[in-house]
Amino acid sequence: MKVLVIEDSARLQRSLQHGLHRSGFAVDVVGDGEEGLSYATHGKYDAIVLDLMLPKMDGLTMLRRLRERGSDAHVLILSAKDQVDERIEGLQLGADDYLTKPFAFEELVARLQALVRRRYASKSPAHVVGELSVDTAKRTVHAAGESVALTRNEYAVLEYLITRRGRIVAKTELLDHLYAGAGHGSENAVEVLIHQLRKKVQGNGRADVIQTRRGLGYVIE
C-alpha cells in the first residue's frame, strides 16, 4: 500500500521510510506541514502518518485543512505521551488512529494494515478469489492450496489489485504505487510484472484471475 509520512525528524524519516519499504509499502516522506498538505491533497495514499509537532504548519492545522478540502485519507497521528489534548482534538478533526512516541515499529505496521483494510471495507486480511488466496497481514499467497513465491514488486501488484477487487486499475496507477512517484519504471515494466504474476498464480490450467481491460488497465473480479 502507499503511505505518506509527514515527520520533521530526519532520523525518524529515514527509519520509517526504510522500515515501511521493507514491509512492502510504497512511501513518500516530507518534513513540514505545508508540504505535507500539498502531497496529501494531490496524491493518492492508502494512509497518512502525521506527526503533530511540525514546522511551517502544525499537524492539527494540516489535518483540519485536509478535511476541509474533502480528503477522506486515513490518518494515523504520531504524538508525544503528554499530548493527550492534541490527540483528542486530532481524533475529533477526523484522524483515524494514533500512536505515542516511542512506539514499536511492528505496531505501526499493524495499525496501518488495519487502516487500509478499513479503507477498503475489509475486516479480514485474507482475500480469496477462486483458487487464489492472499493474506495481506502475513504477506502470503496460495494458489490451489500451494504456496506461491513472489518478488516484492509482484506481490505489491497483486495486493494492490486484490484489495481493489472489482475496480479497474490503470498501468500509471500501478507505477505510482510501485515507485511512490520517484519517476522510475515504465508501463512496459508493469506489463512484464503482470505477465510474470499470471504465470505464477494461474499456472497448471487454473482460471484467469487477473483480467486485462484493453486501453484501461487490469482488474481482479
Side-chain angles (χ1 to χ4, degrees):
M1 302 293 102
K2 190 174 180 183
V3 175
L4 173 63
V5 175
I6 308 172
E7 166 62 54
D8 66 326
S9 165
R11 180 189 61 80
L12 190 51
Q13 281 183 2
R14 291 191 297 269
S15 176
L16 290 177
Q17 186 169 34
H18 178 71
L20 289 172
H21 183 75
R22 286 179 59 87
S23 298
F25 292 89
V27 188
D28 284 335
V29 178
V30 297
D32 65 71
E34 288 185 357
E35 190 175 22
L37 180 61
S38 178
Y39 269 66
T41 301
H42 299 104
K44 294 181 179 179
Y45 297 98
D46 295 295
I48 297 171
V49 178
L50 175 64
D51 188 26
L52 291 182
M53 303 295 290
L54 294 170
K56 296 187 179 180
M57 182 188 299
D58 66 86
L60 290 178
T61 300
M62 199 222 85
L63 177 59
R64 182 184 297 108
R65 293 185 182 179
L66 184 66
R67 294 307 189 213
E68 287 173 351
R69 295 181 182 186
S71 172
D72 63 350
H74 278 42
V75 176
L76 184 149
I77 285 176
L78 296 181
S79 70
K81 287 186 176 180
D82 60 352
Q83 292 178 305
V84 178
D85 291 341
E86 288 88 345
R87 290 200 299 273
I88 292 172
E89 185 177 356
L91 292 170
Q92 292 172 337
L93 287 172
D96 300 275
D97 199 357
Y98 70 86
L99 268 178
T100 56
K101 300 177 181 180
F103 54 85
F105 178 75
E106 293 78 5
E107 182 178 3
L108 173 64
V109 170
R111 287 177 179 269
L112 287 175
Q113 290 172 334
L115 288 181
V116 171
R117 290 198 300 272
R118 189 187 309 171
R119 181 171 181 80
Y120 297 104
S122 174
K123 292 287 187 180
S124 172
H127 301 264
V128 179
V129 180
E131 295 181 300
L132 177 66
S133 174
V134 180
D135 189 314
T136 58
K138 298 178 181 178
R139 295 175 57 79
T140 57
V141 179
H142 290 81
E146 298 180 1
S147 179
V148 179
L150 301 178
T151 66
R152 179 188 179 277
N153 280 349
E154 288 168 354
Y155 176 82
V157 167
L158 180 59
E159 181 186 64
Y160 198 85
L161 291 173
I162 206 164
T163 54
R164 292 155 178 79
R165 184 175 177 180
R167 180 166 78 80
I168 297 173
V169 177
K171 293 177 187 177
T172 52
E173 186 175 341
L174 285 173
L175 270 177
D176 185 54
H177 166 66
L178 287 170
Y179 301 109
H184 304 303
S186 67
E187 292 190 12
N188 286 338
V190 172
E191 292 174 1
V192 171
L193 277 173
I194 292 290
H195 176 71
Q196 294 171 339
L197 189 55
R198 279 176 168 150
K199 286 201 301 183
K200 292 184 178 182
V201 302
Q202 298 170 187
N204 299 323
R206 290 190 287 270
D208 188 5
V209 176
I210 303 171
Q211 300 176 22
T212 300
R213 295 290 186 266
R214 194 167 300 279
L216 298 174
Y218 305 97
V219 62
I220 292 179
E221 294 183 321

